[in-house]
Amino acid sequence: ARYAWMAPFALVFLAAGLALYWSIGFGLAARWGQGGWRLILLMALWSLAEFGRAYLFTGFPWAGFAQFWIDTPAAQLLPWIGGQGLALLTLVTLLPLALLRRRPLLAVSSILLGALGGYALPRPPAPEMTSHLVRLVQPNAPQAEKWLPERRWDFVRRAIELSEAGLAPGVEGLDQSEADLPDLIVWPETSVPQLLNNAGDTLSTISERVFGVPVLLGIQRREVGRYYNSAVLLDAEGQVRQIYDKAHLVPFGEYVPFGDIMARFGIYGFAAQSGAGYMPGPGPALLDLGIGLALPLICYEAVFAQDVNAVPTRPALLIQITNDAWFGTRSGPYQHLVQARMRSAEQGLPMLRAANTGITAVIDPYGQIRESIGLGETGMVDAYLPKPLPATLYSRSGDWPVFLLCIALAFVAVKKSRRLVLHS
């Protein structure tokens, strides 16, 4: 109710703002391109527009061209060329449809070549598994109820019950030390509805109830008057051993540009604790979770391939905690999951993904879902962690090769188009 008046403006201006990237690419291709080179120029400039959408003004690469290939053999190109490369390849394959009227043979052969090439790729094998058992918890707290004083602790109790299920000794003659305890339990983003500064008793209770199994959970914290959206690792005594602060924040969601000034006019970020909103953390960092070095990603940080590539040391796994309840139960959570799967495939790394309302999943290093909990369901899943693959080409090169290729294509297309004009 508090933000409903903003929804039409946000929808219209976000769509219009993102459309500018494409309009610039199309406009320049129409202005600078001539003859058959115009189509090649459009391929290059459209791809560069997608780069702009992914990188500029903090970036928002949602619904990119590569994302609809995730459940096809073409997704196996992600470790080699990344999402931007697969997007360019999509345009190279499909844009020749524009030539159907004048050059039908060229257009049809391009489509067939792309289709045959994609489906000729072999299916990825089943991944090797480690001996590390992990438990992912999905408490399923609707956003409208998540922070209500009379309801918020119900979801904490629910998460605790899911975390301890089956861990307590209940079989005669079975000592707890003999039980098959998980090596790690993962809760979603902002699972604990209080600041870390005041949560000592709560965290101790959580660790006690799960018999000292390490727990990674999401919580907010305050430091020197600023607030952070954080992931913390609890040890056997409920003490915080490691902290990761979210670095890539959501504009107008977790912070508002010139937040302190805007707060004077009653404008705050949706999830902000103060006028300025959350403060960003220092950037990508690794956590030692006992099952390997992990790169933590909070919520939509998993959307940005460049952020995952920015970590200085290759981790053994990715771990995402998120609260997709903001999206409701429509397409948003599914789209978010697809992008998380892309990060795993690009890096050749498994991912543990704990989502408040779903979709919680264990993702293998090929980007395939091994275990999951459906959207809007309450539950937990126990699974063994897949082993990582060797470092991929994309993890070493990032988006630079595809970006430079697009620049080169645009340069050649413009130069050839100018020659056509001069000769005419």
Side-chain angles (χ1 to χ4, degrees):
R2 178 180 176 183
Y3 297 107
W5 68 272
M6 298 175 66
F9 298 97
L11 180 64
V12 170
F13 287 117
L14 177 64
L18 295 176
L20 290 176
Y21 292 103
W22 285 17
S23 66
I24 292 172
F26 272 76
L28 293 178
R31 184 180 181 87
W32 293 345
Q34 298 292 328
W37 289 101
R38 176 175 290 176
L39 193 64
I40 295 175
L41 182 58
L42 178 59
M43 294 174 186
L45 293 178
W46 201 346
S47 296
L48 290 173
E50 284 293 273
F51 270 104
R53 196 161 68 90
Y55 280 85
L56 299 181
F57 307 111
T58 79
F60 192 68
W62 206 274
F65 292 132
Q67 292 166 27
F68 56 73
W69 295 113
I70 190 65
D71 286 315
T72 73
Q76 294 177 68
L77 296 173
L78 289 169
W80 299 92
I81 57 177
Q84 296 291 351
L86 187 52
L88 173 61
L89 192 58
T90 301
L91 294 176
V92 170
T93 304
L94 297 180
L95 280 185
L97 280 172
L99 302 175
L100 272 175
R101 186 179 60 167
R102 290 183 298 173
R103 301 177 185 176
L105 183 60
L106 176 62
V108 172
S109 62
S110 174
I111 302 302
L112 291 177
L113 182 63
L116 292 174
Y119 281 90
L121 295 169
R123 289 285 180 179
E128 295 184 49
M129 309 301 288
T130 70
S131 60
H132 299 304
L133 182 66
V134 295
R135 172 169 292 188
L136 308 180
V137 173
Q138 184 168 302
N140 195 29
Q143 193 60 38
E145 303 176 21
K146 180 175 171 62
W147 299 103
L148 293 177
E150 67 273 20
R151 288 285 286 141
R152 58 188 179 181
W153 291 107
D154 293 340
F155 302 118
V156 176
R157 284 188 285 269
R158 181 185 294 176
I160 291 175
E161 291 168 0
L162 291 168
S163 299
E164 68 177 349
L167 301 188
V171 179
E172 185 176 354
L174 175 65
D175 183 75
Q176 182 59 41
S177 62
E178 301 174 76
D180 194 12
L181 292 176
D183 298 295
L184 179 70
I185 297 173
V186 186
W187 288 18
E189 179 186 16
T190 57
S191 301
V192 177
Q194 63 187 141
L195 292 175
L196 177 63
N197 311 65
N198 311 319
D201 291 343
T202 302
L203 303 183
S204 296
T205 299
I206 292 171
S207 290
E208 180 181 345
R209 292 281 293 272
V210 299
F211 303 97
V213 174
V215 179
L216 182 78
L217 55 80
I219 193 170
Q220 301 167 92
R221 71 184 192 93
R222 183 182 65 243
E223 183 178 321
V224 196
R226 295 300 191 183
Y227 294 84
Y228 297 86
N229 184 0
S230 305
V232 301
L233 179 67
L234 307 183
D235 64 12
E237 287 75 40
Q239 299 298 310
V240 175
R241 291 305 178 199
Q242 296 181 78
I243 299 176
Y244 169 73
D245 296 320
K246 185 176 181 180
H248 201 140
L249 301 177
V250 182
F252 300 99
E254 293 175 308
Y255 77 99
V256 175
F258 310 106
D260 289 329
I261 296 174
M262 301 298 285
R264 298 178 183 177
F265 300 94
I267 299 177
Y268 303 87
F270 292 164
Q273 291 281 351
S274 67
Y278 291 115
M279 290 296 291
L286 300 183
L287 300 180
D288 186 353
L289 302 181
I291 59 175
L293 289 177
L295 175 64
L297 303 166
I298 298 179
C299 194
Y300 101 142
E301 286 185 315
V303 171
F304 300 96
Q306 63 267 31
D307 290 354
V308 178
N309 257 0
V311 65
T313 303
R314 180 172 169 80
L317 70 150
L318 308 174
I319 189 161
Q320 183 193 19
I321 61 172
T322 185
N323 176 26
D324 286 359
W326 291 101
F327 292 120
T329 55
R330 295 183 181 271
S331 57
Y334 296 100
Q335 295 170 345
H336 199 191
L337 174 65
V338 165
Q339 293 171 87
R341 293 172 60 188
M342 289 176 63
R343 301 296 85 79
S344 283
E346 289 164 353
Q347 299 294 322
L349 295 174
M351 177 185 287
L352 303 177
R353 186 177 198 264
N356 169 30
T357 55
I359 302 162
T360 294
V362 177
I363 303 170
D364 71 22
Y366 300 105
Q368 303 300 305
I369 297 175
R370 311 308 302 183
E371 303 284 349
S372 65
I373 306 172
L375 181 60
E377 297 179 7
T378 301
M380 60 83 176
V381 61
D382 288 342
Y384 286 98
L385 177 69
K387 289 184 178 180
L389 300 177
T392 65
L393 177 63
Y394 180 77
S395 70
R396 299 175 185 273
S397 65
D399 287 322
W400 278 108
V402 176
F403 178 75
L404 295 175
L405 175 60
C406 291
I407 294 289
L409 282 175
F411 177 80
V412 171
V414 170
K415 190 173 182 179
K416 294 290 186 180
S417 295
R418 286 180 177 177
R419 287 184 178 179
L420 287 177
V421 172
L422 291 176
H423 286 302
S424 63

